[in-house]
């Protein structure tokens, strides 16, 4: 019993008096480098987004307020892909103060319908390929994407399918690729 009491006293002495391990300040993690902070900061935004109208559909609500430095400035009903019978279709304009991105977004009742529309649009997409591949969300493939650049006029088009939706973004230069890469799923 005496050994236990002496051991407890020694532990308390070593914890709070010498060497004082119980009240030492924890070393803080090194501050992130300025490069790390810059890469995680929000892009410079010069344009404020325009709120969605009251009663906006789920697809309209899925259109983000901001995509990178671009702000959503308008949402209008569209009929571009009406021949393939989407449930709903919207043309969404994003602006960064220098240029616009026009996003056409539509939703079909089944992923197979959207995949069929994507395949048709993809095969008709003209220009030099900038990138292509699979769309994955939470490690699961939900569709495909393709980005092409056209020389006349100098613009790019990003086309992607994510489950039951198809999106087509167009903008000057290679801006559609930058937009597509920043678009949240």
């Amino acid at each position: 019993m005496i050994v236990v009491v002496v051991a407890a006293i020694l532990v308390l002495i070593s914890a709070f008096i010498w060497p004082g391990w119980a009240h030492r300040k924890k070393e803080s993690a090194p501050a992130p480098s300025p490069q790390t902070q810059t890469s995680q900061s929000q892009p410079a935004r010069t344009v404020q987004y325009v709120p969605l109208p009251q009663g906006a559909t789920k697809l309209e609500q899925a259109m983000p307020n901001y995509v990178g430095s671009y702000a959503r400035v308008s949402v209008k009903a569209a009929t571009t892909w009406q021949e393939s019978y989407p449930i709903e279709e919207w043309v969404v304009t994003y602006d960064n103060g220098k240029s616009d991105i026009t996003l056409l977004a539509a939703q079909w009742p089944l992923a197979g319908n959207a995949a069929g529309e994507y395949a048709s649009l993809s095969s008709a997409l003209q220009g030099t390929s900038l990138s292509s591949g699979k769309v994955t969300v939470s490690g699961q493939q939900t569709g495909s994407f393709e980005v092409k650049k056209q020389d006349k006029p100098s613009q790019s088009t990003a086309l992607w399918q994510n489950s039951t939706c198809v999106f087509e973004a167009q903008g000057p230069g290679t801006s559609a690729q930058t937009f597509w890469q920043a678009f949240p799923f």
Side-chain angles (χ1 to χ4, degrees):
M1 178 83 169
I2 293 177
V3 174
V4 173
V5 172
V6 170
I9 291 172
L10 288 174
V11 167
L12 289 173
I13 290 172
S14 72
F16 295 101
I17 298 173
W18 186 86
W21 56 266
H23 58 81
R24 281 189 193 155
K25 290 183 180 178
K26 292 182 179 179
E27 290 185 31
S28 61
S33 69
Q35 181 179 11
T36 303
Q37 290 174 342
T38 302
S39 66
Q40 293 178 357
S41 65
Q42 293 293 330
R45 294 181 173 146
T46 58
V47 177
Q48 284 288 346
Y49 75 91
V50 174
L52 292 169
Q54 199 158 16
T57 68
K58 294 233 186 240
L59 183 57
E60 283 179 288
Q61 292 173 22
M63 298 301 103
N65 297 335
Y66 293 102
V67 178
S69 63
Y70 288 89
R72 184 189 63 231
V73 293
S74 74
V75 179
K76 297 178 183 170
T79 58
T80 307
W81 297 330
Q82 71 181 355
E83 291 179 9
S84 59
Y85 305 107
I87 297 170
E88 58 182 302
E89 182 179 359
W90 302 96
V91 62
V92 186
T93 303
Y94 285 87
D95 184 15
N96 68 359
K98 297 176 188 169
S99 63
D100 286 351
I101 295 284
T102 302
L103 177 68
L104 190 56
Q107 184 172 23
W108 281 263
L110 302 170
N113 300 120
E117 182 65 15
Y118 171 83
S120 174
L121 293 167
S122 178
S123 67
L125 191 59
Q126 300 293 313
T128 305
S129 181
L130 296 175
S131 61
S132 63
K134 299 179 185 332
V135 172
T136 57
V137 177
S138 301
Q140 299 290 322
Q141 181 181 348
T142 59
S144 301
F145 75 92
E146 184 158 5
V147 183
K148 290 196 174 181
K149 185 175 186 305
Q150 297 82 31
D151 292 327
K152 294 183 183 178
S154 179
Q155 72 172 22
S156 54
T157 303
L159 177 69
W160 69 98
Q161 180 227 341
N162 183 11
S163 189
T164 60
C165 295
V166 175
F167 304 91
E168 182 181 75
Q170 292 185 337
T174 59
S175 61
Q177 176 154 332
T178 305
F179 182 86
W180 138 256
Q181 291 169 333
F183 196 86
F185 293 105

